[in-house]
Each structure stands twice: as structure tokens, then as C-alpha cells.
Amino acid sequence: MSPKQSNYFLSTKQFSVFAAGITFLLAYWYLGYDGITFSDDVYYLLAGKKFWSGSMEVNDYHFSSRWGAYVPSGLIGFIVGFDPHTISFVSFIAYALTLSVLIWVLPKSTPSWVLVLWLCTQVYFLHFLTKVYPDSLLVLFTCLIPAASSLRSIRPILSGFILVLSLFLGFLTKETIVLLSPFPILLLIFDFRSRELSKPFYLSILVTGILLLSLYLGYFWINFGDPLHRISSINAGHYISEFTYADKGLLSILKRLTTLPIITFIERSYWPWIVFAIPGIALGLKSRDTPALEFSLALLCLLIGFWFMSSTLEFYNPIYLNPRHLIITVPILCVLISFGWKEWQTSKRWRTWILGLLALGVVISLAQMDWKMAGFQLALVGAVSIYYSKFQPIVFVGILVAPAFLAIPYQKNLKQYESLIETLSKEIQSTGNQSILLTNDFLEFSELVLFPEDEISQKKLNGLESHLSWDKSKTDTVKLVLYSYYRHAYPQEQEEIDRVLTWLEKRGYTLQGEENNGVIWKGIYVRNKRSAPSPL
């Protein structure tokens, strides 16, 4: 189980591939920004700003104690100014450090170009490169855990310390890191059976864990009177919603635990990464060589955890497989793809398995009429089939890089973020005292990020639900401004829009004019003062 990395320095070939990967990620961060997601990222952007201005308070909301999610990003905003794209540079830093760790721990006999190619082309992984979310930072801590453990025979005390510190910092960033909590135990079992148990390594884990856990629990005990306050706040933050299963019956849970994960992996383009990683997993578990074993165990912890973990401790409710959460598996998958790359190319049995699993993905995508995903997986089938060709690497590069590049104009055209800000600003400026502007709830939720330091614009921007509280006697005109992106990201808002339109009709408002400007639809509703409003 000795490490396969021959020395602490990268080879010329490794360094060249590493530099290409870093350059690609930096270019993608610069060119791929398509705006904020109008969701949790708003909270983290504002929390980081508040923290470095000294006004952030930790409270019962579990996001508030995710210091790792907003303290580093907030520092960038504090230094260079409150700009969401610039602040998201923290995600690039996390990705770059992750690639550095992985390329260094990768044995020189393993094709490093495979690691970089697959790491830099997973569409969801790249999408959050330009966003401020804890998941992109968690990527680094997730990879540090198996990487640190691979050094336990060389630097046992330091290795154990880094492993536990990564778990701790990861938990401060997002609780998903608990999926890797069984990892040290599994590692202990494998080391014990192989009679290569490093007592200093596990003693370092124990001592560091007790120390950091005591400090963590002590903080909440002193400040909230309950050392388990964070656990309680996490439970309270995961409530019954459209993304839960426990409230929807046993059949819903059964579906979630059987077919739904596979469908999700296929729909969100994770399936090829999982399929090509399987030979590497088998190699790691069979050979028990470092670092293949450590990364295999780490991936199994993540996949089993995502598959079966509950979102709350009060009752069993399998977590919703949000594709954003799954990005922490991508770097580890890419390492294992690299380990198993030569295996499937020289083994007919492995090629048969890969082709069969990819074909399964094609069939499911066709059944869902997802032509793009079916075509992508079918192209990979073709690439595997020409394993004997010297042009096969070029074919893989084309198949994997093309979707990554095409995703940039697709997302920008879908959101037209800059056009949204410009159009929304004009509509706000043209809204007078006798009129009110109604827009999507998620835009109102994001007003402090969309219009920072602009209190007038923030005050005039009203969400759909605000129609129930405005002063009707002073509102002759209602300007309904809708961002078409809601159909893609928040389709449930259509019900609220329908309620608003019904309410306006009952109150005597009629549509006097409408305008469709790209991603913005505007309707002007004027109240007929001669007709008495209908009772609600």
C-alpha cells in the first residue's frame, strides 16, 4: 500500500497538463458567468458582506453557521467590491487547489490528461465555478480527505491532522461532508486486515477530532446554551416541501431509493463519469494500492450516502438529489476514471460492461425524449468502440469539451442576465407614485444583490405576493413584469401568477397593453374606477 507517487515534484508532462487545466478553468470562469441563480447564493453573498462589515449574526437558521460558505467569499467582496461574478472567484480558487491536490497525488504512471479532461468538462461542475455556493468550496475539502490519508504511511501525524481538519472545515462549509464520516472507519478496517495499521495516524485522527469537536460544541454551548444547537437548526431547516418524500407515501420513498437516483445521474450527465470510474473502483478495492484504495472508499461513502441518507434525524426522509450537491463527487470520480483508464482499454470484459451501462443511459434518455443526453452517451459508446485507434483520445476530447463550451451560450441565452438588469432598471425608474410594479418573487428575494446600495429600486421592486398588502386606494396602475426564466428554474411560480391575474380581474383592473422584450414580459393593468371592486 505504499504511495505510487515517486517524488514530490510533478513531471514535465503532468505540469503541462495541470497548466492547461488551470487555464481552461480560469477562462471558463471569466467567459461562463451567466448571473446569479436567485436562490441560496443570494444569502451567502449577503452573509459574506455582513460578516466583513461586522453585522453578521449566527442565529437559528442553519445557513448562518456555515462560515466556510460565506467568510472566504465575503473577504473577496470586502477587498474588491460587491460584485457577484468577482466574488465567485473563490470557487475558481477552490477548483484550482483541488486540481493541484489531485494532480500531485496521482501516480506518474496514470494518465494525468484523463483526470484533467474529465474534471474540466462536467457541465454541472463547471456551472457552479461562477457561483457562490458552499458546494464548490466543499469540493476541495472532500478531495483533501482521501488525498491526505494516502500519505499516512509517510507522514502519519500530519496526514491524520489534515484529514480531520478537512472534515471539520467541510462541516463549517456544508453538512454534506458527513457523508465521508465513515471513511476513517473503513480505512481502519482495510488497514487492520492488511496488517499495515499506522497507530500514529489513527491516534492523530482521534486527538484532533476530540479537540476540534470540543471547540465546536463548546461554541454553541456558550452562545446558545445547547452544544447540539447546530443539529437542531439543521433539522428545523429541512422541512416538508415539494422536494421531500416522507410526506408523499411509501411508494415515493421506494422510488427514490431504487430508480430515481439512476435517472437523476443520467439526466444530469453524471452517469458517464460514474460508469467510467467503475474499473478504477474495482482496481482500488482489489489491489488496495495507495491512492486508488482511498479514493475508491471515499467515492463509495459519497454515493451510498447520497443514495440513502436522510435529510432529517426526526424521521427518515431520503435527501433530494440536487445535481448541485453531487458536484463534490466529480473530482474523485475523475481520479478513479484515470486509474481505470488502461484497465478497460485492455480488457474486453470491462469494455462490455461500460458499453452496456452507457447503452442503458441511452435507452433511458430516449424514453424521456432527452435527445441531447442520448446523443452524448451514444457518442461515448462510439469512442469506447474504437479503443484500438490512436485517434481515440482526440475523439474523447471532442465529445467531452463540446458540451462544456456549448453550455456557455445556452445558459447566457436562457437567462440574458445583463438584459434583465437593464430592463428591470428602466421599468423601476418609470414606475410612479400612482402605480406599483409586481415581479417574480425570486427577483424580489434577490433585490439586494441585483441593486446593491440602491434603496429606491429595492423599495419599488415588489414580489407577486405583495399584491395582498398594498394600498389599493393609491394604486390605479399595476405593472406586471415577469422574467421568463421562471419557467425553467421556478415553474411553480405560474400558480402564483395565475392567482395575481385573477385577483386583478376581481378588483377591476384590465389589461391596457403588453410588451415582450426578450426575457421580460410586461403587462400594464389599469383599474376601471367606475366599476366597484369585487369582494375577495
Side-chain angles (χ1 to χ4, degrees):
M1 293 177 62
S2 59
K4 297 296 184 181
Q5 186 78 18
S6 58
N7 54 59
Y8 293 111
F9 300 98
L10 301 181
S11 67
T12 303
K13 187 174 182 180
Q14 282 180 314
F15 183 80
S16 299
V17 171
F18 167 73
I22 293 294
T23 302
F24 181 90
L25 291 174
L26 181 60
Y28 205 96
W29 173 83
Y30 180 75
L31 299 172
Y33 182 68
D34 60 358
I36 64 173
T37 61
F38 315 101
S39 184
D40 297 351
D41 57 339
V42 172
Y43 179 89
Y44 296 119
L45 286 165
L46 297 176
K49 183 179 181 180
K50 289 180 180 179
F51 178 86
W52 288 100
S53 67
S55 59
M56 181 63 189
E57 295 183 2
V58 178
N59 50 46
D60 291 338
Y61 187 42
H62 67 292
F63 277 22
S64 68
S65 49
R66 287 179 175 175
W67 294 286
Y70 59 80
V71 173
S73 59
L75 178 60
I76 294 179
F78 179 75
I79 295 173
V80 302
F82 191 75
D83 174 64
H85 187 198
T86 305
I87 294 173
S88 72
F89 193 74
V90 71
S91 295
F92 166 76
I93 294 174
Y95 281 21
L97 290 175
T98 298
L99 181 56
S100 303
V101 170
L102 297 183
I103 204 79
W104 180 82
V105 80
L106 198 70
K108 287 183 169 57
S109 59
T110 304
S112 54
W113 69 268
V114 174
L115 165 66
V116 173
L117 173 63
W118 286 81
L119 180 72
C120 293
T121 53
Q122 213 288 333
V123 174
Y124 270 94
F125 185 76
L126 290 175
H127 180 70
F128 292 98
L129 171 61
T130 62
K131 304 293 184 291
V132 180
Y133 273 95
D135 309 88
S136 56
L137 294 169
L138 201 61
V139 161
L140 173 61
F141 300 122
T142 300
C143 291
L144 276 173
I145 292 169
S149 66
S150 68
L151 300 176
R152 64 189 181 281
S153 63
I154 303 174
R155 297 285 187 271
I157 295 177
L158 179 62
S159 175
F161 173 76
I162 294 176
L163 188 154
V164 177
L165 182 64
S166 299
L167 278 170
F168 179 70
L169 294 177
F171 192 77
L172 294 185
T173 304
K174 191 174 182 180
E175 303 77 30
T176 313
I177 200 73
V178 300
L179 299 182
L180 282 175
S181 56
F183 175 78
I185 300 175
L186 291 176
L187 203 59
L188 174 63
I189 294 173
F190 272 83
D191 284 354
F192 182 78
R193 289 182 175 179
S194 63
R195 298 182 180 180
E196 295 189 16
L197 188 66
S198 173
K199 292 182 180 179
F201 170 71
Y202 291 102
L203 183 60
S204 175
I205 288 178
L206 183 63
V207 172
T208 306
I210 291 175
L211 177 62
L212 293 178
L213 183 63
S214 299
L215 291 173
Y216 186 75
L217 296 179
Y219 168 83
F220 287 101
W221 198 352
I222 293 172
N223 287 276
F224 296 93
D226 179 11
L228 301 179
H229 176 267
R230 179 77 190 281
I231 306 276
S232 302
S233 66
I234 293 172
N235 277 334
H238 291 84
Y239 40 79
I240 296 299
S241 72
E242 60 183 310
F243 301 115
T244 55
Y245 303 93
D247 59 312
K248 298 175 179 61
L250 183 60
L251 186 61
S252 177
I253 295 179
L254 184 62
K255 181 180 178 182
R256 163 60 183 80
L257 295 178
T258 52
T259 60
L260 191 57
I262 296 176
I263 293 174
T264 300
F265 292 148
I266 292 172
E267 285 181 337
R268 304 305 184 181
S269 77
Y270 286 93
W271 186 245
W273 273 254
I274 294 174
V275 169
F276 279 92
I278 293 176
I281 298 172
L283 178 65
L285 296 178
K286 182 179 179 180
S287 68
R288 300 189 180 183
D289 284 339
T290 294
L293 172 65
E294 290 79 4
F295 280 88
S296 297
L297 293 178
L299 180 65
L300 291 176
C301 287
L302 291 175
L303 291 181
I304 293 172
F306 275 122
W307 202 298
F308 296 104
M309 184 181 177
S310 175
S311 64
T312 176
L313 298 177
E314 296 180 4
F315 50 88
Y316 183 63
N317 179 65
I319 59 175
Y320 171 64
L321 289 177
N322 189 324
R324 169 168 56 87
H325 302 163
L326 295 171
I327 67 172
I328 65 173
T329 66
V330 172
I332 296 180
L333 284 168
C334 295
V335 171
L336 293 168
I337 291 173
S338 301
F339 285 137
W341 194 255
K342 295 178 182 178
E343 290 292 309
W344 66 262
Q345 288 193 320
T346 56
S347 169
K348 182 179 179 181
R349 182 173 63 90
W350 275 125
R351 286 197 300 275
T352 301
W353 272 103
I354 289 176
L355 289 171
L357 291 172
L358 288 175
L360 174 64
V362 172
V363 170
I364 292 177
S365 295
L366 289 174
Q368 296 179 314
M369 292 185 291
D370 188 348
W371 315 120
K372 293 180 181 178
M373 190 56 61
F376 175 62
Q377 294 173 108
L378 191 59
L380 288 173
V381 168
V384 173
S385 301
I386 58 169
Y387 64 92
Y388 52 83
S389 173
K390 64 180 180 180
F391 297 107
Q392 188 204 46
I394 299 176
V395 173
F396 268 104
V397 170
I399 294 172
L400 293 173
V401 171
F405 277 126
L406 292 175
I408 294 178
Y410 171 78
Q411 283 295 129
K412 287 191 173 184
N413 183 63
L414 181 67
K415 294 179 73 172
Q416 297 183 38
Y417 186 73
E418 294 180 358
S419 177
L420 163 71
I421 302 296
E422 181 181 352
T423 305
L424 209 54
S425 298
K426 291 180 180 178
E427 296 301 333
I428 289 172
Q429 293 174 6
S430 63
T431 301
N433 295 329
Q434 299 299 316
S435 61
I436 187 169
L437 187 153
L438 288 183
T439 190
N440 305 86
D441 289 332
F442 64 87
L443 291 182
E444 182 191 32
F445 172 75
S446 309
E447 60 185 16
L448 294 176
V449 175
L450 296 175
F451 303 104
E453 313 301 333
D454 187 351
E455 295 183 3
I456 295 177
S457 294
Q458 295 168 12
K459 185 177 180 180
K460 288 185 176 182
L461 202 64
N462 299 282
L464 295 169
E465 295 183 355
S466 65
H467 72 280
L468 297 175
S469 60
W470 80 59
D471 188 349
K472 290 90 179 174
S473 62
K474 296 181 179 179
T475 308
D476 296 326
T477 303
V478 175
K479 187 187 298 182
L480 184 60
V481 177
L482 299 177
Y483 180 32
S484 62
Y485 182 66
Y486 83 89
R487 299 190 185 96
H488 172 80
Y490 303 96
Q492 67 275 12
E493 276 203 1
Q494 185 61 55
E495 297 180 4
E496 182 64 26
I497 293 171
D498 294 337
R499 283 194 290 269
V500 170
L501 294 176
T502 301
W503 189 92
L504 289 171
E505 183 180 356
K506 289 183 177 180
R507 300 300 298 179
Y509 290 90
T510 57
L511 180 64
Q512 297 296 308
E514 60 180 315
E515 180 181 342
N516 198 340
N517 182 15
V519 293
I520 293 289
W521 178 87
K522 179 180 69 173
I524 304 296
Y525 292 83
V526 178
R527 184 171 58 179
N528 186 352
K529 296 182 179 180
R530 295 182 180 180
S531 59
S534 304
L536 294 177

